[in-house]
Amino acid sequence: MQEVIDIGRLIRERNTLPIKYPLSELVVVHEDSQYLDDVKSLEKYIVEELNIKTLTVTKEKQNYGVVLRAEPDVKEIGKKFRSESKKISQAVKELSGQDLHHFVTEGQIVVCGQTLGQSDIRLMHSFSGEKANELSQKYQVHSAGEVLVLLDVTRNQEMMDEGTAREVINRIQKLRKKAHLVPSDPITVYVGVKPPSHNLSNVVTNFGEFISNTLKVPLQLLPSQTPPGVIIEETSQIKDAALEIVICTPNGITPSNQQKEPESDKRKKLKIHHENNIENGEPVCKFVNIELCDVGTCSVLLENPKGKYILSGDALIRQVQVVFGIHGKRPELYLSSDKTKPLNNLSEKEVLNLHKRTLYAYLS
């Protein structure tokens, strides 16, 4: 069912709709009931990956007024068939739905006695019927093989605001990471907006519970006086407004990684670091940083000692499972947080080339 997700992402990219902004509906059309059942069984995954509210599966393409039509590549046909090109081009435009279905299935079709391939014909979707104009403004369409996907690209203010709320979450997560806080550290997050009249203030207020539940931390509006127990604070820009974020300790409790260490413990750590091949503040052995979504971060040595016992791609994944205590679930690794650069079947050389990179792990 990956092709459904890939098509959805493609439509988003073509229409400049970042994944953080939710959309109302994705429609999957296919003639095979089993295919639709398989898609429906993965509804939760598809909804999450494409950030949509509703997944609809159906065989009834006619209900959406979608028709497939063919356009000739005049330049390509002209080069191949010269004097016959005009006649062939016109015949391509008149191909029936059944003809086009054959072309999709076989990858070629005979027109006016000549065999045309995918370089000669461009397939395009359009809407027909009384609601053609309405449907064309609501849905963007793309297909792959026999599956047809319609994505409702209609934007409304509530969905735009939810997308902005997700951006606020992203800024808070980055600041928490910057402070070297782990998810188990007790904190309270304060946010403020300048100017207060900006719509971002409404977003923070209306989606406060959503932001708090996603981050799993209390969220409060920033008071006029700086709250006590500040760990880190930062001001950033979102949609022409200043977003002030202050992360504090609740009730004066200091997070575990902020506590002052006794000198004896520091000396022990320095000794351990030295024994593990750390020179000039940096490990001699190659390593990567792993960020497991909504859980935390860690570093994994790709070799130890230097030049020996190099991890394979599968061994790297096993290390991630061990470090984060993941049992029975295989994490998928990516070079980017938006999952657009998967890392699969890595050789030892490719693993070593990841040195100092941050990888993003998601549970499959």
Side-chain angles (χ1 to χ4, degrees):
M1 301 308 104
Q2 185 62 40
E3 63 182 345
V4 171
I5 294 174
D6 291 341
I7 294 173
R9 287 174 177 164
L10 177 63
I11 296 175
R12 273 187 172 274
E13 290 172 4
R14 286 180 174 176
N15 291 272
T16 320
L17 293 168
I19 203 73
K20 66 184 177 184
Y21 291 105
L23 296 174
S24 61
E25 184 185 25
L26 182 82
V27 181
V28 179
V29 183
H30 202 285
E31 295 181 357
D32 187 348
S33 298
Q34 184 59 54
Y35 183 95
L36 296 178
D37 289 343
D38 291 343
V39 170
K40 197 65 177 176
S41 69
L42 296 171
E43 179 174 9
K44 183 178 179 181
Y45 174 67
I46 294 172
V47 165
E48 180 181 330
E49 286 294 305
L50 293 176
N51 193 12
I52 56 173
K53 300 296 183 182
T54 304
L55 173 67
T56 302
V57 297
T58 180
K59 290 183 176 181
E60 310 301 328
K61 183 168 69 173
Q62 65 274 13
N63 290 348
Y64 294 89
V66 180
V67 293
L68 186 63
R69 60 186 178 86
E71 286 291 332
D73 188 318
V74 177
K75 184 177 180 180
E76 191 70 22
I77 291 176
K79 286 193 301 183
K80 290 181 179 179
F81 306 109
R82 299 188 181 279
S83 61
E84 293 184 273
S85 62
K86 187 174 181 180
K87 179 177 66 174
I88 293 174
S89 295
Q90 183 59 39
V92 167
K93 294 179 180 180
E94 297 172 357
L95 289 174
S96 67
Q98 185 176 355
D99 292 332
L100 295 178
H101 179 76
H102 173 81
F103 178 71
V104 169
T105 305
E106 302 297 329
Q108 61 181 26
I109 191 171
V110 176
V111 178
C112 298
Q114 302 292 348
T115 301
L116 304 183
Q118 295 179 351
S119 63
D120 306 310
I121 298 176
R122 295 194 303 271
L123 296 180
M124 306 177 71
H125 292 94
S126 60
F127 293 91
S128 64
E130 296 178 356
K131 296 184 178 180
N133 186 52
E134 176 186 342
L135 291 169
S136 64
Q137 293 181 8
K138 181 177 182 179
Y139 292 108
Q140 287 293 313
V141 187
H142 192 76
S143 64
E146 297 182 359
V147 61
L148 176 70
V149 174
L150 298 88
L151 182 62
D152 185 346
V153 296
T154 308
R155 307 187 194 196
N156 60 49
Q157 190 59 48
E158 183 180 0
M159 289 186 176
M160 295 297 290
D161 286 348
E162 183 178 329
T164 303
R166 290 177 183 274
E167 182 60 30
V168 172
I169 291 169
N170 179 261
R171 301 295 176 90
I172 295 172
Q173 286 176 325
K174 287 183 177 179
L175 189 59
R176 182 160 63 176
K177 181 179 177 181
K178 186 176 180 180
H180 305 292
L181 294 167
V182 297
S184 59
D185 285 329
I187 60 172
T188 297
V189 177
Y190 294 87
V191 293
V193 177
K194 292 183 179 180
S197 59
H198 195 278
N199 184 58
L200 183 58
S201 292
N202 296 329
V203 171
V204 170
T205 301
N206 297 336
F207 289 86
E209 184 177 356
F210 169 71
I211 296 171
S212 178
N213 290 341
T214 302
L215 294 170
K216 297 180 175 59
V217 298
L219 180 76
Q220 298 185 26
L221 295 179
L222 186 65
S224 56
Q225 294 185 342
T226 303
V230 174
I231 300 172
I232 191 171
E233 56 185 312
E234 186 174 83
T235 300
S236 58
Q237 294 292 316
I238 295 182
K239 296 187 178 297
D240 301 321
L243 176 69
E244 299 176 276
I245 305 172
V246 181
I247 298 179
C248 300
T249 59
N251 303 321
I253 300 174
T254 303
S256 58
N257 63 345
Q258 298 284 323
Q259 293 175 352
K260 187 174 180 180
E261 293 180 293
E263 286 300 318
S264 59
D265 289 347
K266 288 183 179 179
R267 286 194 294 271
K268 287 179 182 178
K269 285 191 174 182
L270 287 173
K271 182 179 179 181
I272 292 171
H273 285 179
H274 179 73
E275 291 174 351
N276 280 280
N277 295 324
I278 292 186
E279 295 179 357
N280 300 321
E282 181 173 323
V284 173
C285 296
K286 293 186 176 182
F287 68 97
V288 291
N289 298 311
I290 306 290
E291 180 173 332
L292 181 61
C293 183
D294 296 329
V295 175
T297 60
C298 73
S299 295
V300 174
L301 292 178
L302 302 177
E303 55 181 359
N304 190 20
K306 183 175 177 62
K308 295 185 178 181
Y309 303 110
I310 300 169
L311 294 183
S312 64
D314 286 338
L316 175 58
I317 289 176
R318 287 195 295 272
Q319 286 294 315
V320 174
Q321 290 174 312
V322 170
V323 171
F324 288 107
I326 303 168
H327 303 290
K329 294 184 178 180
R330 179 182 174 86
E332 301 290 341
L333 300 181
Y334 298 83
L335 270 176
S336 57
S337 58
D338 59 2
K339 302 184 182 180
T340 57
K341 298 178 180 178
L343 297 171
N344 299 315
N345 303 318
L346 296 175
S347 65
E348 290 183 356
K349 182 178 180 180
E350 290 172 328
V351 168
L352 289 179
N353 287 338
L354 298 172
H355 178 44
K356 295 185 180 180
R357 301 290 295 271
T358 295
L359 309 185
Y360 299 87
Y362 292 86
L363 297 181
S364 56

